[in-house]
């Protein structure tokens, strides 16, 4: 079962295969893993004990950054994410980034994002589209219409907490839509990165 794996010189963390979205570009549609790592489909959601045991076994030599990402939305297991991030920080000097759809407060009712303070160093949030309508077409969230606004609020709120925040879009939307996303991101003072859509899992960051 692959909980920790190396990619792009960083330690990636795979704590769940759960996700309330069904993005048209989701990497999970294209294979079972990233590069030559073992399958990222988990036999079961790992317990904290299993996460710690896997972390101890993982060769962390020279790695300075960790990224919660994997084959699912990490905030589906927000408690486990926070516990694991705290554990990593207690054992290493690694920074902690979370790649997320930004829907943690729809996924976990009454979740306070203050809990990320001091635990998560940066968020990379999938903006995906410039409008709610297009977002729903690209991201296909189970929460429907309210998802886009919630994702935007999440970005604004974690930035206000002082956590480094960035957006991503995948270039499956039109160049005009990418420009609109850039304007949206600029208005919030959040940098935007445009990711190339590939089907061979090479640009998984
Ligand atoms: S949010 Fe991430 S894991 Fe979920 S469907 Fe979209 S790309 Fe896949």
């Amino acid at each position: 079962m692959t909980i920790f794996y190396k990619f792009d010189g960083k330690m990636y963390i795979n704590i769940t295969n759960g996700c309330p979205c069904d993005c048209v570009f989701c990497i999970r549609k294209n294979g079972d893993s990233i590069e030559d790592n073992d399958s990222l489909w988990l036999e079961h959601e790992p317990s904290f004990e299993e996460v710690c045991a896997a972390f101890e076994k993982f060769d962390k030599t020279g790695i300075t950054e960790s990224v919660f990402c994997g084959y699912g939305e990490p905030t589906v297991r927000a408690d486990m994410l926070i516990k694991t991030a705290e554990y990593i920080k207690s054992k290493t000097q690694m920074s902690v980034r979370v790649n997320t759809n930004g829907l943690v407060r729809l996924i976990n009712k009454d979740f306070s994002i203050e809990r990320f303070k001091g635990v998560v160093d940066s968020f990379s949030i999938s903006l995906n589209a410039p409008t709610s309508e297009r977002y729903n077409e690209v991201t296909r969230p189970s929460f429907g219409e309210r998802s886009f606004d919630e994702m935007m609020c999440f970005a604004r709120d974690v930035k206000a907490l002082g956590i480094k925040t960035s957006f991503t879009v995948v270039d499956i939307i039109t160049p005009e839509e990418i420009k609109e996303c850039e304007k949206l991101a600029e208005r919030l003072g959040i940098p935007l990165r445009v990711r190339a859509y590939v089907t061979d899992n090479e640009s998984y960051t």
Side-chain angles (χ1 to χ4, degrees), residues 18-23 25-28 70-73 101 126 128 139:
C19 184
C21 301
D22 180 22
C23 299
F25 57 79
C26 183
I27 201 158
R28 302 183 301 178
Y71 256 29
E73 164 53 42
N101 57 24
S126 304
N128 288 355
T139 312

Side-chain angles (χ1 to χ4, degrees), residues 27-142:
I27 201 158
R28 302 183 301 178
K29 298 182 197 299
N30 300 332
D32 290 342
S33 191
I34 309 300
E35 291 191 334
D36 54 358
N37 287 293
D38 291 335
S39 173
L40 294 174
W41 293 114
L42 297 160
E43 290 151 26
H44 57 265
E45 305 248 288
S47 65
F48 185 58
E49 289 67 33
E50 286 174 314
V51 170
C52 294
F55 174 81
E56 296 306 334
K57 270 198 217 144
F58 185 76
D59 179 8
K60 300 172 275 296
T61 314
I63 300 182
T64 57
E65 295 172 60
S66 66
V67 184
F68 284 83
C69 185
Y71 256 29
E73 164 53 42
T75 65
V76 163
R77 299 190 76 196
D79 289 343
M80 182 62 73
L81 187 165
I82 289 168
K83 244 169 121 171
T84 304
E86 284 170 344
Y87 187 75
I88 291 168
K89 283 194 172 283
S90 74
K91 295 272 183 168
T92 74
Q93 299 292 313
M94 282 188 215
S95 61
V96 172
R97 183 177 93 201
V98 177
N99 290 0
T100 180
N101 57 24
L103 303 179
V104 64
R105 291 182 291 202
L106 293 181
I107 298 167
N108 304 274
K109 207 169 165 284
D110 301 327
F111 182 84
S112 166
I113 58 159
E114 295 269 337
R115 292 179 62 199
F116 289 132
K117 222 173 157 181
V119 181
V120 175
D121 299 298
S122 63
F123 281 106
S124 175
I125 303 168
S126 304
L127 175 59
N128 288 355
T131 63
S132 173
E133 196 187 2
R134 280 294 283 142
Y135 178 85
N136 278 4
E137 285 171 6
V138 172
T139 312
R140 302 187 290 199
S142 62

Side-chain angles (χ1 to χ4, degrees), residues 142-161:
S142 62
F143 306 111
E145 284 301 311
R146 59 200 169 135
S147 307
F148 182 75
D149 286 349
E150 174 52 36
M151 176 275 296
M152 293 291 281
C153 285
F154 175 81
R156 188 198 57 208
D157 292 349
V158 289
K159 183 178 187 288
L161 285 178

